[in-house]
Amino acid sequence: SATVGSALFSHVFDNSGNLGIGTSIPKDDLHIFEQSGGQTTGLFIEKQNGASGTAQITFGVAASNESSTGKPKAGIFFERTASNGRGNLHFLNDSVDDANGVALSDVKMTVLNNGNVGIGTVSPGQRLHIYNNVDNVGMSVQNNARKYTVGVRGDTSDAFAIQDDTANAIRATITSAGRLKVGTVTTSNDTAILGGGGATARVARNNFLNVNCDFTF
């Protein structure tokens, strides 16, 4: 083992090659430790650049046919976009089966410095912005019994829809024309609500309300 130390800095390489900073018994390849009375433990990765650039952490697992090092296929990049080190945080995952490493073109999620989070977009306009340039895009919620997906449906003329994934059935939609449909996706009425199986219907159109329902006591 090798040790270098002073009042301001100390590090240790153990017999396994693990590097410990602030500890003489590193428990992994790199182990950073700070005493409870010291400064907050941290790791600062900085790239010096006048106007732009990225500070990166990358990840990869070598396959048997990729020699001993492989390629970094995922990463966390901090992209400087403004003065005084301000910028955006990107989470990247390269899904292409090639020999190229991960790059900014592989961004899957972004956190802007104003707090907006984008999934599928690097320029989120709201606190959470989900984007997909093809087909359907949405968010799923699920418990032990049921799963629902809420989002924009490309297969229903880009309507906003609530789908019961467990039953594989759309329960409600709001069309691009502003029509609300519950229990149906076919009516042209401004508002349509169909009961179970579509047998009992209540339809509102313009300023009129037509009610057709059954009551059982």
Side-chain angles (χ1 to χ4, degrees):
S1 64
T3 304
V4 177
S6 71
L8 298 178
F9 174 81
S10 65
H11 70 266
V12 172
F13 286 98
D14 68 8
N15 292 330
S16 299
N18 292 344
L19 172 60
I21 299 177
T23 176
S24 61
I25 48 173
K27 296 180 174 59
D28 214 324
D29 294 336
L30 174 61
H31 182 176
I32 303 174
F33 176 81
E34 182 70 42
Q35 299 281 349
S36 60
Q39 296 286 333
T40 300
T41 303
L43 176 66
F44 182 30
I45 301 174
E46 180 182 18
K47 177 180 179 182
Q48 183 178 8
N49 196 305
S52 63
T54 59
Q56 306 176 3
I57 301 174
T58 58
F59 309 92
V61 178
S64 58
N65 61 345
E66 295 175 338
S67 72
S68 61
T69 57
K71 299 292 186 297
K73 282 294 186 177
I76 302 173
F77 288 14
F78 178 79
E79 179 188 20
R80 177 176 173 167
T81 60
S83 60
N84 292 315
R86 293 174 296 158
N88 304 322
L89 188 65
H90 302 293
F91 296 83
L92 306 91
N93 203 330
D94 182 357
S95 59
V96 180
D97 183 13
D98 59 22
N100 297 327
V102 68
L104 276 175
S105 57
D106 301 309
V107 173
K108 299 299 186 290
M109 184 173 74
T110 291
V111 181
L112 299 184
N113 60 21
N114 66 2
N116 287 0
V117 177
I119 300 175
T121 175
V122 296
S123 55
Q126 300 294 330
R127 275 294 180 256
L128 177 61
H129 184 170
I130 303 173
Y131 173 77
N132 188 3
N133 63 351
V134 294
D135 202 11
N136 305 328
V137 56
M139 177 180 65
S140 295
V141 291
Q142 182 177 8
N143 64 10
N144 291 333
R146 212 120 191 122
K147 177 184 176 184
Y148 286 87
T149 295
V150 179
V152 179
R153 296 292 300 249
D155 56 358
T156 56
S157 301
D158 298 321
F160 180 81
I162 300 174
Q163 173 166 306
D164 181 348
D165 291 334
T166 305
N168 193 27
I170 295 177
R171 301 305 189 191
T173 60
I174 301 175
T175 71
S176 57
R179 295 188 174 97
L180 170 64
K181 306 174 183 182
V182 179
T184 177
V185 295
T186 58
T187 182
S188 61
N189 291 328
D190 293 338
T191 302
I193 303 174
L194 296 187
T200 300
R202 294 166 297 213
V203 179
R205 181 178 178 86
N206 297 327
N207 294 321
F208 299 95
L209 175 64
N210 298 323
V211 178
N212 176 18
C213 56
D214 297 326
F215 295 95
T216 302
F217 297 94

